[in-house]
Amino acid sequence: AQRVTQPEKLLSVFKGAPVELKCNYSYSGSPELFWYVQYSRQRLQLLLRHISRESIKGFTADLNKGETSFHLKKPFAQEEDSAMYYCALSGAGANNLFFGTGTRLTVIP
Amino acid sequence: DAMVIQNPRYQVTQFGKPVTLSCSQTLNHNVMYWYQQKSSQAPKLLFHYYDKDFNNEADTPDNFQSRRPNTSFCFLDIRSPGLGDAAMYLCATSGRVSYEQYFGPGTRLTVT
C-alpha cells in the first residue's frame, strides 16, 4: 500500500537560513512525487514534481529511490515561503494523488 | 481567469439531512476529483471522474455519491451526514495528460 510520511508538522526557520522539509514514501511500483503548497487564504497548488527536475521559487527536491525520500529544500528561506507544504505521490499513469499530512513552515523575520 | 469554483464555501447541515456540494471548472479538464480533508489530516481522495467514467476509492463510504452531468460540473452528495463527515471538501481537476491537479478553495462542511 502507498504511504507518504511527513515527520514534521511544524517547522520554523529564520529568514535567510536553509530549509528542508522531509518526505518519505512507501510504494511498490515507480511513483511520481510532488510537492503542493498552500499559502494563507489561498488554494492548494502544485509547487514542483520530481519528473520536471526544476527549481520553483528557489525550491528543489530530489527523488532518492534508495532512501525512498523526496525532501524539499531551499538554501535561503524567505518570509513569503511561510505556508503549508504537502508531499504527494501518484502511481505512474494513475490519476490518484496520495498526500502526506503536511508541514507548516514558518519563516521568522 | 480559468479556475475551479466551489459552492458554497461554508455549508451547515443537520445530522442525517442530505447535502450536496458543487464544483465547477472553466479549465475544460477531463478529470475531476473530490477529496475530504479533516483537521490536521492529509487530503484523502474519495473518488474521481475521468470524463464520464466514475472511479470510487475502495474505502470511500457508501454514504458518499457523486454526479458529473457535464464536463464543467461535478457534485458531491452525502446521503445521511454523520458528525464524522464534518470536514473540508476539496474539488480538483486535471487534464488528460497532466499530473498537475488544480484545486478549488474548498467547502467546509459542519454537521450539527
Side-chain angles (χ1 to χ4, degrees):
Chain A
Q2 57 279 324
R3 179 177 291 176
V4 179
T5 303
Q6 294 180 250
E8 304 139 327
K9 284 199 165 197
L10 303 170
L11 181 64
S12 295
V13 300
F14 285 100
K15 178 182 173 182
V19 61
E20 181 178 67
L21 291 88
K22 291 185 167 51
C23 173
N24 288 90
Y25 68 90
S26 173
Y27 188 74
S28 56
S30 295
E32 301 278 355
L33 273 296
F34 307 82
W35 278 97
Y36 276 77
V37 61
Q38 188 167 25
Y39 300 103
S40 179
R41 289 187 288 277
Q42 294 188 29
R43 58 193 68 196
L44 197 56
Q45 58 187 290
L46 178 67
L47 180 62
L48 55 80
R49 57 187 180 118
H50 89 270
I51 264 189
S52 54
R53 301 182 68 84
E54 56 194 343
S55 173
I56 303 291
K57 299 185 179 183
F59 284 97
T60 59
D62 290 319
L63 179 59
N64 185 323
K65 292 185 178 181
E67 296 182 358
T68 59
S69 68
F70 188 56
H71 303 326
L72 183 68
K73 301 177 184 179
K74 184 169 182 176
F76 307 103
Q78 303 299 314
E79 288 179 63
E80 56 266 29
D81 297 328
S82 295
M84 192 74 174
Y85 291 81
Y86 292 94
C87 182
L89 172 156
S90 175
N95 291 107
N96 318 45
L97 264 183
F98 297 97
F99 284 88
T101 50
T103 297
R104 183 169 296 282
L105 173 66
T106 301
V107 179
I108 304 164
Chain B
D1 285 341
M3 56 196 302
V4 181
I5 303 158
Q6 289 188 246
N7 285 308
R9 295 292 305 277
Y10 301 90
Q11 176 74 56
V12 180
T13 191
Q14 292 177 329
F15 182 94
K17 185 174 181 182
V19 65
T20 295
L21 310 182
S22 70
C23 176
S24 63
Q25 54 129 342
T26 60
L27 298 161
N28 203 33
H29 280 167
N30 298 92
V31 194
M32 295 188 77
Y33 309 80
W34 279 104
Y35 290 86
Q36 179 193 63
Q37 186 176 25
K38 296 186 178 181
S39 181
S40 300
Q41 295 186 23
K44 180 180 177 301
L45 182 65
L46 295 172
F47 25 59
H48 74 276
Y49 274 95
Y50 193 111
D51 293 324
K52 293 189 175 184
D53 293 333
F54 178 69
N55 299 272
N56 198 32
E57 292 300 299
D59 55 355
T60 297
D62 293 339
N63 197 26
F64 291 85
Q65 307 280 315
S66 186
R67 296 170 284 135
R68 189 179 185 185
N70 53 52
T71 301
S72 301
F73 286 87
C74 195
F75 300 98
L76 170 62
D77 301 309
I78 309 176
R79 291 191 299 188
S80 182
L83 297 178
D85 296 328
M88 177 72 86
Y89 289 87
L90 299 170
C91 175
T93 72
S94 70
R96 190 183 301 275
V97 294
S98 170
Y99 289 113
E100 179 172 1
Q101 293 191 16
Y102 292 80
F103 283 82
T107 294
R108 184 168 294 285
L109 178 68
T110 300
V111 181
T112 61

